[in-house]
Amino acid sequence: MPSWVIDQYGRNDVLRFTKDMVFPIIHFPNEVIIKVHAASLNPIDLSMRSGYGATALNMKRDPLKLKSVDTEFPLTLGRDVSGIIMECGLSVSYFKPGDEVWAAIPPWKQGTLSEFVVASGNEVSFKPKCLSHTEAASLPYVGLTAWSAVNQVGGLNKSNCSGKRVLILGASGGVGTFAVQLVKAWGAHVTAVCSHDASTLMKKLGADDVIDYRSGNLEEELKTLPLFDFILDNVGGSTEKWALDLLKKWSGATYVTLVTPFLINMDKLGVADGMLQTGVTVGTKTLKHLFKGVHYRWAFFMPSGPSLDEIAELVDSGKIQPVIDEVFPFSEVPKAFLKLEGGHARGKTVIDVISKK
């Protein structure tokens, strides 16, 4: 089948188009095969193309070293899919061939820049009725990443979020644009930090206050505002040193970062030492901030069909809309990677897989 694959890690020139990729097969009774209508790119695709996280992901792919071939290549990238179910495993009762679905495929599985992809039934959800496949493909990975950070790790939901002050750092990327809409739909007061040229978009998505991180001293500017109940950090780096001072003390306020050293530690130190180093780091930081009266947490993408069901409801009710920067035909996947690599996208880069251009 037609696919974009890599045969080694590296820069954009490692991407290769093939018509001979092995057709996916159902190995477990809970799996489905999806015909891909549209996919989209995320920063993790750039990272995986360069080999980031390879140690951890290879362990997840073959934990017992049972495979006769000791390589992950040829590897298909792409995490988001919107498409149609072609085939179901024996224990799949929730879906049937012909259903329009969307999903985010975990990074240790073959990706969606392909004609067909295999997913577990519990990773799949019915596509929002109000979206085209191209629009729907822009949401699952960023939506589930934001959902994991805000809801599962941060503890916010529609019944406890009303009136809370939420700060989102790096608000104009894929996860940021989704998170702004999510907490706004739940009734929060949202402060979005982004560059000036994204401020109109942020206002359109519902942000109450928009702050340009280039306009002066961001830390000082944020300190003039009332304290926050929740901070989502998509930026990392030096922001972590001062952002926690912006939280209300001893009130259950939480800082959640999506920028973590987990996979880098395992790449550098190996699986055992990497996990140990990661555990020590997160444990030390959590305790240090707990003594100061705030919660410090890490969040990761988690595949989840049931969470996508809830996201689909919010989309169909008009509370969350896709934010798409550009759509590329399947023949121009390398160009789409370069676009993403250029940075400062306003929303998502989407691939129309069934277009014949």
Side-chain angles (χ1 to χ4, degrees):
M1 64 173 177
S3 288
W4 282 94
V5 299
I6 60 172
D7 302 299
Q8 65 189 64
Y9 296 119
R11 300 181 71 81
N12 216 42
D13 54 5
V14 298
L15 287 163
R16 171 175 70 89
F17 179 73
T18 177
K19 289 191 170 176
D20 304 321
M21 188 61 176
V22 180
F23 194 86
I25 54 173
I26 287 176
H27 287 286
F28 300 99
N30 69 331
E31 289 182 331
V32 297
I33 294 177
I34 301 168
K35 180 172 174 60
V36 181
H37 280 234
S40 80
L41 298 184
N42 297 282
I44 190 172
D45 295 305
L46 292 176
S47 304
M48 286 177 66
R49 188 199 67 194
S50 307
Y52 164 80
T55 306
L57 296 175
N58 282 338
M59 185 189 77
K60 183 74 177 165
R61 285 177 188 120
D62 188 17
L64 301 177
K65 299 273 185 273
L66 297 176
K67 288 184 182 167
S68 52
V69 183
D70 189 26
T71 177
E72 62 270 37
F73 303 115
L75 183 65
T76 307
L77 300 174
R79 311 273 49 99
D80 292 300
V81 57
S82 182
I84 291 176
I85 298 237
M86 299 300 288
E87 197 179 329
C88 297
L90 293 173
S91 71
V92 176
S93 56
Y94 198 59
F95 302 105
K96 62 184 187 307
D99 284 343
E100 294 196 331
V101 295
W102 64 343
I105 310 295
W108 53 88
K109 296 187 179 181
Q110 286 288 24
T112 60
L113 296 175
S114 198
E115 190 178 14
F116 296 93
V117 69
V118 166
S120 299
N122 58 2
E123 295 161 358
V124 179
S125 164
F126 290 108
K127 176 181 81 66
K129 294 180 180 64
C130 67
L131 298 186
S132 67
H133 284 296
T134 312
E135 292 169 325
S138 70
L139 286 172
Y141 188 86
V142 293
L144 287 171
T145 304
W147 191 272
S148 156
V150 171
N151 175 262
Q152 285 157 316
V153 176
L156 298 184
N157 56 54
K158 61 185 172 192
S159 59
N160 70 7
C161 201
S162 182
K164 288 212 163 125
R165 289 182 50 77
V166 173
L167 172 65
I168 297 177
L169 299 161
S172 62
V175 175
T177 52
F178 187 95
V180 167
Q181 296 180 84
L182 179 62
V183 292
K184 195 67 204 166
W186 288 344
H189 178 285
V190 182
T191 302
V193 174
C194 56
S195 61
H196 175 68
D197 59 345
S199 58
T200 309
L201 171 64
M202 288 297 109
K203 286 286 186 190
K204 183 173 159 235
L205 296 179
D208 299 283
D209 297 324
V210 181
I211 294 176
D212 175 8
Y213 68 88
R214 293 177 177 148
S215 65
N217 186 323
L218 176 62
E219 181 184 350
E220 293 305 318
E221 194 169 346
L222 287 169
K223 280 181 176 167
T224 65
L225 300 174
L227 294 171
F228 295 94
D229 299 287
F230 182 85
I231 298 175
L232 175 61
D233 187 354
N234 297 292
V235 179
S238 62
T239 54
E240 195 175 290
K241 293 186 177 72
W242 50 262
L244 285 108
D245 296 333
L246 305 171
L247 288 170
K248 294 175 185 171
K249 306 287 185 284
W250 306 106
S251 66
T254 305
Y255 166 93
V256 177
T257 179
L258 288 162
V259 185
T260 70
F262 178 60
L263 294 177
I264 293 172
N265 281 345
M266 288 176 82
D267 284 342
K268 280 186 184 167
L269 305 171
V271 175
D273 288 348
M275 287 175 87
L276 182 65
Q277 176 67 54
T278 302
V280 168
T281 304
V282 72
T284 309
K285 288 184 176 182
T286 303
L287 279 174
K288 182 177 97 175
H289 292 298
L290 203 54
F291 287 129
K292 294 179 183 174
V294 295
H295 296 291
Y296 173 95
R297 298 280 185 271
W298 287 356
F300 304 90
F301 158 77
M302 288 189 261
S304 168
S307 296
L308 278 176
D309 290 343
E310 294 193 61
I311 292 169
E313 273 181 48
L314 287 164
V315 172
D316 277 330
S317 65
K319 290 180 176 154
I320 288 180
Q321 54 184 307
V323 182
I324 295 173
D325 196 43
E326 194 169 347
V327 180
F328 289 84
F330 194 46
S331 58
E332 294 183 1
V333 163
K335 204 184 276 188
F337 268 84
L338 288 175
K339 160 86 183 168
L340 186 64
E341 216 162 358
H344 296 291
R346 300 288 163 258
K348 291 296 297 289
T349 302
V350 177
I351 313 292
D352 182 357
V353 174
I354 57 168
S355 72
K356 294 290 180 274
K357 281 183 228 167

